[in-house]
Amino acid sequence: MPPRSEEPRRDATGSRRGSSRGAEPREPGVGGISDARAYTPRGRTIREGGAAARTGGGAEQRRTPRSSRSGDPFRPALQVLDGGRAGATRAGRRETAPGGRAGVVRTVSARPVREPFDDEDEAPPPRRRPGPRRPARPTAGRRPVRKPRRPPKLADPRRRLRLGTMLVLTLFATIGIRLVFLQTVTTPAYADGGLGTRLAVVELPAPRGAIYDRTGAPLAHSVEARYVFADPTVVKDRFAAAKLLSPLLGVPASELADRMKPRTLPGTTTPLQFVYLARGVEIPQAKQIMALDLAGIGVHRDEKREVPGGDLAANLLGFVSQDMHGLEGLEAKYDDLLEGQAGKKRYEVGQGDLAAPIPGGYSQTTPARPGGSLELTIDRDVQFMTQRILSDQMAQTRASVGAAVVVDVPTGEVLAQASYPGYDAAAPDKVNSPSDREDAATSFIVDPGSIHKAITFGAALQEGVITPETTFPVPNTITKGDTVFRDTHPAEGRTMSIPGMFAFSSNVGTIEIADKLGPDRLIDYQKRFGLGQPTGEGMPGEAPGRLLPVDRWSDSSHGSVPIGHSVDATPLQMAAAYNAIANDGTYVQPHLIRSVITPDGKKTAAAAPATHPVLSPANAAALRRIMEGVTSIDGPDGRATGLAAAVPGYRVAGKTGTGLRYDNGKLQPGEVGSFIGMAPAEKPRYVVAVFVWSPGGEGGTVAAPAFREIMGYTLRHYRVPPSATDRSPKFEVFPR
């Protein structure tokens, strides 16, 4: 800080501070350098300087006002003491009051100092002393005094309050609108989006429909079971687990251990976490498995197809897969009807370990729809006996195939349809060959042989070519083309009756009748009797057979076709043809389906079978009478071919046959022996057909006895009264 002058300052009146009142006044305008300059520790504004001049020297010793202290305390201010000499007035200097040499104290700042003021803190304007009015100061050359800048006002709290209120209201309005939008417009979308994370889905299995016989007894139906599965990633000791499970599942422990072996899904690196150990496990065994509490081993609800009869009608019924889909037989043909539609239950569950349904929460149930059921025309008792008799007779042959069919004459309903060999439908994989599971009655293609002669004789009767009383000489052989046809019972050229020709199965006599009938009419009657096309019985994969068109006949065909060669037919087709003869000449389509049963138990009868006339009732009756000689002629002229088929107490009309078997167009070794007959012959109720193929040719000795036993049981089972006379009409084989 610059040193002060040692001379006391003068006050506004020009007197020295601290001097006596009567001190001698100095001359105006005279003073030292100490009087001209004085530094103060704080600068003073011009206003303060003027105030000090008015109030006297004592005011200079006062502290600067608060507003002054807000300036820069380190900026020196130059205090000029002017003695007020005449002519020394400068621009911007105040003139000395008249009279006296009092100097004017001015504080000149080295740089203008701007002080911030509040309106409230601004110093009041200085009061003027009373006295003469000073003349106006000249303006020329004077720097205008700059008015101090007014400091900015502080923020208005009311404006801030209004602004904040508006922001808060806007925020709440936005949130409210969004909530209304979520609750009204997009509620379903958001609800559905979150629903899946808290829903549990349980499948409601639908049982597969049953298959019943005509009495309502189940032939195949589904029962509740369990399946056992494993998670290989969780199983701790697969060998120990397999050892415990093996006796309960009936599966070798080594096989179970291999199934539980850790492995990855094909084509990925993801470990396999599910593998079946057994399907269709009985519930008691499943409970024992659950009691073992093995890590990685689980049990779940399953369905099992149960076949009460084992192999009973198995070749007809077929079987299903482990997933309850029909694979063969009627199970496959009517899979869409039998298979049920599983349901689902979706409901909200809690989180955590409870995972229990939320009371009053979302719940939707799609009920399961059980499959429909089938009522067959099969009678399980007749089916059982037919299978047993056929298998017993087939035991006398080797490497053979057999078929037997029982048909109700008026309706065409198939009461039994047996195949040999058979199999257990509950274990379809335990067969020697897949062909063992086929239904022989609809898939076994044979040359029918002599049983076809009934069609030739029936057509001749209907066309008037012959009558029951017709006779003509029959030579031992006849040549057609390059083939010589001969009889097994030579007539030696003698005259034979029509019943005699039929009873002794004369090839020569039949060919001569066919020559009179002509090939065109013979083919027409073959079609009328149902040959050359599937019967539509209801079995899948039924073979249609084959007829040789006339334009493809060779010279030898005129001899082979009438006696049942160069003709392909199934046992069922031939049984249906004989049923037309038994049914007074009207063909009735054979069928297996009697009615369809809905899940609620309502029965709907199957469509009525197709029918059409083939023979007149009179000619059909005449043909049946001719056919009775096959089982009754036994005298000096010889024995008929079908005496072994006679049923005690009943008149039987039928025919034996010896044919050939072709497999994929290749002739197989051996012969096909057959017998088809009806009883009681005077008014037939049932037709039974038996076909047996054996490489050794033993079929002919098996078919007739099997027919006798099957027909006898069927007649007794349905309590058909015996014939009024058990004796057939008397026939002359060689009329004189």
Side-chain angles (χ1 to χ4, degrees):
M1 179 182 293
R4 286 189 175 186
S5 171
E6 295 180 358
E7 186 175 349
R9 299 181 180 176
R10 298 179 183 273
D11 56 14
T13 59
S15 60
R16 293 181 180 178
R17 186 179 297 176
S19 60
S20 63
R21 189 173 185 178
E24 183 179 357
R26 298 182 63 178
E27 296 180 6
V30 178
I33 188 66
S34 59
D35 294 332
R37 296 176 180 175
Y39 291 91
T40 63
R42 295 179 178 86
R44 294 185 182 179
T45 63
I46 296 175
R47 185 177 299 173
E48 289 174 330
R54 289 192 300 269
T55 57
E60 293 180 359
Q61 296 180 351
R62 298 176 186 171
R63 292 181 176 269
T64 59
R66 181 179 179 182
S67 60
S68 300
R69 292 196 301 268
S70 63
D72 187 357
F74 300 99
R75 183 178 300 278
L78 179 63
Q79 190 178 58
V80 181
L81 303 178
D82 191 351
R85 296 178 183 177
T89 303
R90 298 179 180 176
R93 179 183 300 176
R94 293 183 181 178
E95 296 182 0
T96 309
R101 192 184 168 188
V104 178
V105 181
R106 298 184 66 235
T107 302
V108 181
S109 176
R111 182 177 300 176
V113 179
R114 299 173 182 173
E115 301 272 351
F117 289 96
D118 291 336
D119 292 344
E120 294 81 3
D121 296 337
E122 186 176 0
R127 300 176 58 185
R128 293 182 177 273
R129 290 184 180 184
R133 199 175 173 87
R134 289 182 295 185
R137 302 170 71 180
T139 60
R142 181 181 176 184
R143 178 181 300 175
V145 178
R146 183 177 299 176
K147 185 177 180 181
R149 177 175 297 177
R150 192 178 180 86
K153 292 184 179 182
L154 294 177
D156 189 350
R158 291 173 295 176
R159 294 178 59 189
R160 287 186 294 180
L161 180 61
R162 287 194 296 269
L163 180 60
T165 303
M166 291 180 63
L167 291 176
V168 172
L169 291 177
T170 302
L171 178 62
F172 276 102
T174 303
I175 295 174
I177 293 172
R178 182 60 177 166
L179 288 176
V180 172
F181 183 79
L182 292 177
Q183 292 291 331
T184 58
V185 180
T186 60
T187 299
Y190 283 99
D192 291 344
L195 193 61
T197 61
R198 61 182 186 275
L199 284 184
V201 180
V202 176
E203 182 173 321
L204 306 176
R208 186 178 178 86
I211 300 178
Y212 302 100
D213 81 333
R214 66 187 299 114
T215 66
L219 299 175
H221 63 105
S222 296
V223 295
E224 185 178 351
R226 299 290 184 269
Y227 68 77
V228 182
F229 65 94
D231 182 351
T233 62
V234 180
V235 175
K236 295 180 180 179
D237 188 344
R238 59 189 178 100
F239 296 101
K243 187 176 181 180
L244 293 172
L245 294 174
S246 178
L248 296 174
L249 299 179
V251 181
S254 58
E255 183 178 344
L256 292 175
D258 183 66
R259 294 183 187 179
M260 290 185 283
K261 183 179 179 181
R263 53 177 60 89
T264 58
L265 294 173
T268 67
T269 59
T270 305
L272 183 64
Q273 295 182 312
F274 180 90
V275 61
Y276 282 113
L277 297 182
R279 299 290 302 270
V281 179
E282 298 290 342
I283 295 178
Q285 282 76 13
K287 290 182 178 180
Q288 296 181 41
I289 293 172
M290 294 175 64
L292 295 175
D293 195 20
L294 299 174
I297 306 299
V299 175
H300 200 272
R301 190 185 188 281
D302 199 7
E303 187 178 355
K304 180 182 179 181
R305 198 64 169 172
E306 189 174 84
V307 185
D311 65 345
L312 183 66
N315 299 75
L316 290 176
L317 300 176
F319 57 93
V320 299
S321 66
Q322 291 182 338
D323 295 324
M324 293 291 122
H325 298 300
L327 298 180
E328 288 188 11
L330 296 175
E331 294 275 19
K333 176 70 177 291
Y334 298 95
D335 187 56
D336 292 340
L337 171 68
L338 295 169
E339 187 177 22
Q341 295 184 6
K344 287 185 179 180
K345 182 178 181 180
R346 304 173 66 199
Y347 57 92
E348 287 185 276
V349 295
Q351 301 296 323
D353 296 334
L354 292 178
I358 299 176
Y362 173 82
S363 179
Q364 182 183 33
T365 301
T366 303
R369 291 199 323 175
S373 299
L374 288 176
E375 182 185 31
L376 304 184
T377 60
I378 296 295
D379 185 319
R380 66 172 182 173
D381 294 332
V382 177
Q383 178 73 28
F384 173 79
M385 290 301 298
T386 301
Q387 285 187 213
R388 198 193 74 175
I389 293 169
L390 181 64
S391 61
D392 290 345
Q393 293 293 330
M394 295 294 293
Q396 304 175 27
T397 64
R398 54 188 176 85
S400 55
V401 176
V405 179
V406 180
V407 182
D408 183 72
V409 171
T411 63
E413 294 179 344
V414 178
L415 303 178
Q417 189 163 306
S419 300
Y420 181 90
Y423 74 100
D424 187 351
D429 54 334
K430 297 179 180 179
V431 293
N432 297 326
S433 171
S435 62
D436 292 346
R437 298 195 297 257
E438 294 179 356
D439 174 53
T442 56
S443 64
F444 190 33
I445 302 295
V446 300
D447 273 359
S450 293
I451 57 174
H452 182 273
K453 292 174 182 176
I455 295 175
T456 303
F457 278 67
L461 286 171
Q462 187 68 22
E463 293 297 320
V465 173
I466 62 172
T467 65
E469 291 77 25
T470 299
T471 62
F472 57 85
V474 179
N476 292 342
T477 63
I478 188 171
T479 301
K480 293 294 182 180
D482 57 355
T483 305
V484 177
F485 298 89
R486 62 185 72 250
D487 286 340
T488 57
H489 296 75
E492 303 296 340
R494 291 179 291 176
T495 299
M496 292 188 72
S497 65
I498 295 299
M501 295 179 197
F502 198 87
F504 287 94
S505 193
S506 173
N507 293 330
V508 176
T510 304
I511 293 172
E512 288 185 354
I513 292 174
D515 286 342
K516 298 176 182 180
L517 180 64
D520 290 325
R521 288 193 290 183
L522 179 58
I523 291 292
D524 180 52
Y525 275 89
Q526 284 179 328
K527 293 178 180 178
R528 292 188 188 184
F529 276 104
L531 303 187
Q533 58 188 352
T535 64
E537 176 200 35
M539 286 298 295
E542 180 183 0
R546 183 182 63 89
L547 296 177
L548 186 64
V550 176
D551 57 2
R552 295 180 58 184
W553 280 30
S554 64
D555 292 337
S556 63
S557 298
H558 291 269
S560 61
V561 173
I563 63 175
H565 296 289
S566 300
V567 178
D568 292 341
T570 65
L572 182 62
Q573 287 174 328
M574 295 307 301
Y578 272 64
N579 193 76
I581 299 171
N583 193 36
D584 289 334
T586 300
Y587 179 91
V588 182
Q589 178 189 17
H591 54 282
L592 280 170
I593 308 302
R594 194 178 192 192
S595 64
V596 175
I597 306 174
T598 59
D600 58 359
K602 183 179 179 181
K603 285 186 179 183
T604 302
T611 62
H612 61 266
V614 180
L615 304 174
S616 67
N619 286 325
L623 183 56
R624 291 197 300 269
R625 184 180 178 88
I626 292 171
M627 294 170 62
E628 284 190 69
V630 175
T631 60
S632 62
I633 297 178
D634 184 11
D637 295 330
R639 293 170 57 89
T641 58
L643 292 178
V647 178
Y650 297 90
R651 292 165 55 183
V652 176
K655 183 69 181 78
T656 58
T658 302
L660 303 174
R661 182 191 180 193
Y662 290 87
D663 189 5
N664 295 325
K666 295 182 180 180
L667 179 63
Q668 300 299 307
E671 295 176 341
V672 177
S674 59
F675 189 95
I676 305 179
M678 59 202 72
E682 65 273 18
K683 188 173 180 61
R685 289 285 309 275
Y686 306 105
V687 169
V688 174
V690 179
F691 284 73
V692 177
W693 170 77
S694 173
E698 305 95 344
T701 62
V702 172
F707 167 87
R708 181 185 65 238
E709 294 188 35
I710 295 172
M711 179 61 82
Y713 175 81
T714 304
L715 293 170
R716 293 189 298 270
H717 177 72
Y718 289 107
R719 300 181 179 181
V720 177
S723 299
T725 172
D726 59 350
R727 294 184 179 181
S728 298
K730 299 294 182 178
F731 298 101
E732 283 189 280
V733 178
F734 301 104
R736 294 177 176 85

